[in-house]
Amino acid sequence: MIISNKYKEETVLFLNGVRNSYSQVFFSDNPVFGILLVLISFLVPVSGIAGLVGVSSALVIARFLNLDKQGISKGIYTYNVLLATLPLGMFFEPGGVLWLVIVLTSLLVLMVTVATRGVLLKYGLPFLSIPFLIGLWLVILATRQFSSLESSDYGIYTINQLYHIGGFGWVNLHNWFDLLPLFPAWRTYFLSMGAIFFQYSILAGVLIAIGIFIYSRIAFILSLVGFFSAYFFYKLIGLEISSLDYLYIGFNYILTAIAIGGFYLVPSLKSFLWTIVLMPLVVIITVAAG
C-alpha cells in the first residue's frame, strides 16, 4: 500500500512537471493551457517528440538528484530543457544519435539551470531563458562535428512533410491559415507566437494565442502591447520587418511584455506603460545580439 501511494505520488509529480514545463514558458501553471501547448508542439511530430523526450529525461534526472519537488512539479527546472530540445527535432533527422543528443542536452541544460538559478536567486534575479540559450548554442556548435548526425530538410519541402503527417486534409488546413487575409503586422504576430515553440506556422500561432486568451486576458493583451510596440519601433527606425518572421525574433517581445507587465510586476497602468517604454530597449539589445 505504501509502495502504491509512493508510485502514485511520483506519477502525479512527473505528469505535473511535464505539463507545467510547457505552460511555464508563458509564466503560467494553468493545467489546460499546459496540455494545449503539449498538443501544439506535436503539430510537427518529431519536434514534439524531441521536446517531450527532453523534458521527461530532465524530470527523471531532477528526481534522481533530489531537487525540490515544488520546483520539479511547477516545471521551473525543465522549461528551458523544453526550449532547447524542441528545435533539435527540426534541425536533425530522427535516429539513435539524435535521441542520445537530446537526452544529453536535457542533462546539460538542467545542470546550467540549477547553477544559474542558485547564483541569481542570491540577488533576487530571475534566470529566465539563460540556460536555454547557453545549452542550445553549445549543442549546435558541437553537433557541427557530429558526422553521424544528419541535418534535416524540414522547412525546405514543407508541403511534402505536411502531407506525410496528415495527408491532403492537413495540407489544406495549413494552407487555409496561411492564406488568411491578414494585415502584415498580424501575420507576423501569429508567426512570432508560433515561433516560441519553434514552429513557422500561423496555425500554431493562432492556437497559442487562443490558449493565452483563455488562461489570462491580461497576458494576451500584454502580448499584443509588447509585440506591436516593438513592431512600430521597427517601422520608426527603419529596421527590416521581415526579420521578425524569418529570424524568430518577434517572440522575444511577446514573452518580455508578459513577464514585465503581468508577472514580475503587478498588472496595472504603470506596468503597461513600462512595457511600452522598455520595448524599444529590448529591440536594440535583440538586434545587437543578432
Side-chain angles (χ1 to χ4, degrees), residues 4-290:
S4 177
N5 289 337
K6 182 175 178 58
Y7 176 78
K8 182 178 179 180
E9 179 185 343
E10 291 294 330
T11 301
V12 171
L13 180 65
F14 177 82
L15 293 177
N16 286 343
V18 170
R19 183 192 66 213
N20 289 329
S21 297
Y22 289 74
S23 60
Q24 196 64 231
V25 173
F26 293 92
F27 311 98
S28 168
D29 56 5
N30 183 286
V32 176
F33 185 45
I35 293 171
L36 175 63
L37 291 175
V38 173
L39 296 176
I40 290 172
S41 72
F42 278 86
L43 289 177
V44 180
V46 67
S47 177
I49 295 172
L52 191 58
V53 169
V55 168
S56 300
S57 301
L59 287 170
V60 171
I61 297 170
R63 282 300 288 133
F64 179 77
L65 295 175
N66 202 29
L67 299 179
D68 68 282
K69 290 185 178 181
Q70 184 178 13
I72 293 174
S73 178
K74 286 185 172 296
I76 300 298
Y77 293 110
T78 45
Y79 73 87
N80 275 289
V81 173
L82 172 67
L83 292 176
T85 53
L86 273 174
L88 295 180
M90 297 183 181
F91 295 164
F92 304 106
E93 290 291 339
V97 176
L98 173 60
W99 305 122
L100 175 61
V101 168
I102 287 173
V103 172
L104 292 175
T105 300
S106 69
L107 174 59
L108 170 63
V109 176
L110 178 63
M111 294 296 98
V112 175
T113 298
V114 173
T116 307
R117 185 170 185 259
V119 172
L120 293 182
L121 277 182
K122 294 180 181 179
Y123 304 98
L125 297 173
F127 60 91
L128 297 176
S129 60
I130 294 174
F132 148 65
L133 294 172
I134 295 175
L136 182 60
W137 279 111
L138 285 175
V139 171
I140 289 176
L141 290 171
T143 51
R144 293 185 301 176
Q145 309 298 322
F146 294 1
S147 59
S148 297
L149 199 59
E150 298 182 23
S151 297
S152 172
D153 59 0
Y154 177 81
I156 300 176
Y157 305 107
T158 305
I159 298 298
N160 291 343
Q161 291 157 351
L162 291 175
Y163 177 79
H164 285 305
I165 293 172
F168 284 115
W170 193 237
V171 172
N172 292 335
L173 179 62
H174 274 264
N175 286 340
W176 187 85
F177 275 93
D178 287 340
L179 295 176
L180 284 174
L182 299 172
F183 289 110
W186 281 101
R187 179 174 295 275
T188 304
Y189 169 78
F190 287 122
L191 288 173
S192 299
M193 190 68 84
I196 295 173
F197 275 69
F198 297 91
Q199 300 195 38
Y200 188 76
S201 165
I202 291 180
L203 172 59
V206 169
L207 291 175
I208 293 173
I210 292 173
I212 294 176
F213 182 82
I214 291 173
Y215 101 79
S216 172
R217 262 64 75 193
I218 292 175
F220 177 73
I221 294 172
L222 283 167
S223 74
L224 296 175
V225 170
F227 175 81
F228 283 102
S229 295
Y231 186 90
F232 289 121
F233 185 66
Y234 264 66
K235 284 283 191 180
L236 179 65
I237 62 179
L239 279 170
E240 180 57 51
I241 297 296
S242 63
S243 65
L244 286 171
D245 294 345
Y246 297 102
L247 296 181
Y248 289 167
I249 294 175
F251 68 82
N252 283 320
Y253 312 124
I254 294 172
L255 294 180
T256 300
I258 294 174
I260 295 174
F263 186 76
Y264 292 109
L265 298 177
V266 177
S268 64
L269 178 59
K270 286 185 178 180
S271 72
F272 275 67
L273 290 176
W274 265 115
T275 300
I276 296 172
V277 170
L278 292 176
M279 211 49 59
L281 298 181
V282 179
V283 172
I284 293 172
I285 293 172
T286 302
V287 173

